[in-house]
Amino acid sequence: MQKRLIVNQQLLDIMVMRLCHQLIENHGDFSDSVILGLQPRGKYVAERIQTTLATILGKQIPTGYLDTTFHRDDFRRRETPLTANATKVDFLIEGKKVILVDDVLYTGRSVRAALDAMIAYGRPANVELLVLIDRLYTRHLPIEATYVGRQVNSLQSQRVLVDWQAQQAPEDAIWLFTKTED
Amino acid sequence: MQELSVRHLLGIKDITPQDIQLIFETADNFKDVLNRPIKKVPSLRDITIANVFFENSTRTRLSFELAEKRLSADVINFSSSSSSVKKGETLLDTVNNILAMKVDMIVMRHSSPGAPHFLSRHINANIVNAGDGTHEHPTQALLDTFSIREKYGEVAGKKVVIIGDILHSRVALSNIFALQKLGAEVMVCGPITLLPKYIKELGVKVELDVRRALEWCDVANVLRIQLERQQMKYFPSLREYTLYYGIDKKMLDSLDKEITLMHPGPINRGVELSSDAADSHHSIILNQVENGVAIRMAVLYLLASKTA
């Protein structure tokens, strides 16, 4: 497995800051907006977005995290079953502008499952999607992100991984992994 | 990702402590689902489950049915009292006929110990034992231990006494296995006539005096006197049983310690438990019922991922 750094800590900080300003452009004071990070890895992006917005705006935007395991369409079709993660949405999303946050947009199936899971908490006024990495030409469903950190042209056999210090990684970074023939 | 080590849930004896932890962790997530405005997930939408009950049941069957529907499974119910079993059809023929209708999972209760084990050797569908005679009732033990974990944070190191009709109780046997696998200390307490002869070989303490048992334990799981399973008199009268083994609030308050009271239901109020004890702050009986749905959802979900 070869790994190549595609976004370092400094660029990632700039990327998050840019995404936050794009959010402020559309959501103003965030009075009707909430952030939902998709478990397991979107949770860390959502927390980072929330922290950065708090620094800029001086207020905490309601942020939760959503597990989509029970709403996925590949149950019993995978080699190994998926482990569910905790969901924490301690606010109603009825009539709210929801910003779904994930680290990587790949096939779009997780996002479809998230849209399904989200409905259990009410009917949002509208839903946007924010991702750090958009893997081009890999979509299985007609789903696109509203806010994108960076677009990456990658092969099916490759994998994109976002590392966070919050997950005990040495630094915040985004890597592209390529399988090698041993 | 972890997965269950078994394709069927026939008994607690057959599963590992890791399996139990996985079921608990999955049930935690389902408990969250059950507290949402919309209490349903589409996980098992392509699965059909048959609830095959050869014995009466209210709570367990309702709990399983609700769990199945919360997971979006298609559900069919079968009860032997209104079926061809009355016409002499064998268990295997009955189940094979149900399976011919493309059923994926069987939840079965039967009065014969080992009936689900027998079936598991002859059919491909996943089987969940919902109680087989006086043998095992695994999902009840899982929800009981899950309720203890919820109350105390963990089961390991807790002292649990099972009080009452141990001899006829599948709940007692499954609970003993589950509690021991999770590192709890287990004691059984009841009239000597209602304790199996070799119960000590299961590694449990035995106590005949209910007060001493309550003074020892953190959790008391009080069992129902199963008059329907008793072919002979094991004690002189229900009144005498209540006198010696009945638990009331006055007794609990006099212990001068916090104790958790459990009961698998249905309660014979005024026999093994007085109403004031069953409805007291000591009791987590209704939590057990609520946890039953989450635990059964977890079991069905995890087994459904284990295709033949």
Side-chain angles (χ1 to χ4, degrees), chain A residues 23-79:
Chain A
L23 286 171
I24 292 165
E25 235 181 322
N26 288 347
H27 292 264
D29 65 353
F30 286 79
S31 54
D32 289 323
S33 306
V34 296
I35 299 169
L36 280 183
L38 304 196
Q39 285 275 35
R41 306 189 67 89
K43 175 187 163 186
Y44 298 97
V45 187
E47 284 169 354
R48 181 67 180 273
I49 294 284
Q50 185 197 29
T51 309
T52 312
L53 284 172
T55 310
I56 302 167
L57 301 169
K59 66 188 277 192
Q60 291 287 343
I61 314 304
T63 301
Y65 35 91
L66 192 63
D67 183 68
T68 63
T69 308
F70 303 134
H71 294 265
R72 292 184 65 98
D73 58 7
D74 55 358
F75 182 63
R76 299 180 102 210
R77 289 167 178 81
R78 299 172 62 95
E79 286 295 304

Side-chain angles (χ1 to χ4, degrees), chain B residues 159-172:
Chain B
K159 294 175 175 175
V160 183
V161 63
I162 304 167
I163 300 170
D165 185 355
I166 312 295
L167 184 67
H168 299 97
S169 176
R170 52 191 171 213
V171 174

Side-chain angles (χ1 to χ4, degrees), chain A residues 70-71 75-76 81 83 85 120-121, chain B residues 1 29-30 36-37 43 304 307:
Chain A
F70 303 134
H71 294 265
F75 182 63
R76 299 180 102 210
T83 307
N85 295 282
Y121 297 93
Chain B
M1 160 64 197
N29 292 305
F30 282 125
R36 292 178 191 175
S43 305
T307 45

Side-chain angles (χ1 to χ4, degrees), chain A residues 156-172:
Chain A
Q156 289 273 356
S157 58
Q158 292 175 313
R159 187 168 158 250
V160 176
L161 182 75
V162 182
D163 263 346
W164 296 105
Q165 285 177 326
Q167 290 179 283
Q168 283 72 52
E171 61 169 359
D172 297 342

Side-chain angles (χ1 to χ4, degrees), chain B residues 83-142:
Chain B
S83 75
S84 292
V85 172
K86 293 282 177 212
K87 302 174 188 173
E89 193 176 48
T90 67
L91 168 64
L92 195 54
D93 279 343
T94 301
V95 172
N96 273 328
N97 274 282
I98 293 168
L99 292 177
M101 299 175 206
K102 305 293 176 234
V103 167
D104 304 286
M105 292 178 86
I106 300 274
V107 174
M108 189 175 91
R109 171 167 287 190
H110 202 282
S111 55
S112 298
H117 303 69
F118 162 78
L119 266 192
S120 70
R121 291 193 292 273
H122 291 89
I123 64 173
N124 260 337
N126 306 96
I127 299 170
V128 182
N129 180 4
D132 57 334
T134 57
H135 180 224
E136 279 224 46
H137 191 351
T139 54
Q140 182 67 47
L142 288 167

